[in-house]
Amino acid sequence: NAGATLNTITGNLIGTDATGSSALGNNTGIWVCEGANGNIIGPDNVIAHNGGTGIEIEGYHSVHNTITRNSIHDNGGKGIRTLWGANTDLLPPTLFNFDLQSGAATGTVCYHCTVEIFSDASDEGAIYEGQTTADGSGVFVFNKGNAFAGPHLTATATDIEGNTSGFSPPTTSTARSLTLQ
């Protein structure tokens, strides 16, 4: 609630046993609501096997909640869901160009936002691949220097005020190259 501010949740197993592989039966892994703000979820949490959403942030007063460098996967609902104006309804990045083998991705997002790139078997973010920052026009370029784990890429955006988006739609092939005009 509104009193839950400036907390950090890091290095936890949420929705899973100590091995990180078996479900423990949570519905929502982490729920931020009713004006909770300025919180940091990450790094190094495993948020997996929850029956519903991995992380849910609700309400227009729940802002400046940063989600960073976690492993979020195999949840029954979305990996990250923002509702009713939470985190300013920040939109996720759009991945335009990517190549899983070379470890490169480009796209667009909000100006000067931090973009975190993930690999996943579905539409969440099981493996944190790295991060980059968009330029003043909202274009970002990320080059890992070696192959992404794949088979899909997703990404999140965090604006300069600490609001993090949900995951972008997953990529559906091993490479795509589009020309931006």
Side-chain angles (χ1 to χ4, degrees):
N1 60 35
T5 61
L6 305 176
N7 296 292
T8 301
I9 301 170
T10 186
N12 295 283
L13 298 168
I14 300 167
T16 185
D17 67 358
T19 67
S21 60
S22 294
L24 289 181
N26 288 340
N27 187 22
T28 299
I30 297 174
W31 187 20
V32 178
C33 62
E34 299 182 16
N37 63 78
N39 298 293
I40 301 172
I41 302 169
D44 302 324
N45 295 299
V46 176
I47 304 165
H49 307 293
N50 296 287
T53 305
I55 299 171
E56 187 160 308
I57 304 175
E58 293 181 1
Y60 69 94
H61 290 299
S62 298
V63 294
H64 314 299
N65 295 292
T66 302
I67 303 165
T68 184
R69 300 181 318 206
N70 297 292
S71 176
I72 303 172
H73 60 91
D74 295 306
N75 293 290
K78 292 182 178 253
I80 301 169
R81 182 167 73 168
T82 59
L83 295 169
W84 309 308
N87 273 3
T88 68
D89 281 334
L90 186 66
L91 295 175
T94 300
L95 295 167
F96 284 117
N97 301 320
F98 60 89
D99 186 324
L100 295 181
Q101 188 62 35
S102 70
T106 61
T108 60
V109 71
C110 47
Y111 309 140
H112 305 292
C113 282
T114 300
V115 176
E116 291 190 354
I117 307 290
F118 297 87
S119 284
D120 195 83
S122 184
D123 61 354
E124 299 179 67
I127 300 169
Y128 172 74
E129 298 283 7
Q131 71 179 33
T132 189
T133 302
D135 65 19
S137 64
V139 173
F140 67 88
V141 176
F142 178 77
N143 192 341
K144 183 178 175 186
N146 55 27
F148 291 125
H152 305 289
L153 295 180
T154 60
T156 61
T158 301
D159 67 17
I160 59 174
E161 294 178 345
N163 297 296
T164 299
S165 72
F167 288 109
S168 66
T171 58
T172 57
S173 62
T174 60
R176 178 174 61 198
S177 181
L178 300 173
T179 302
L180 297 175
Q181 295 187 22

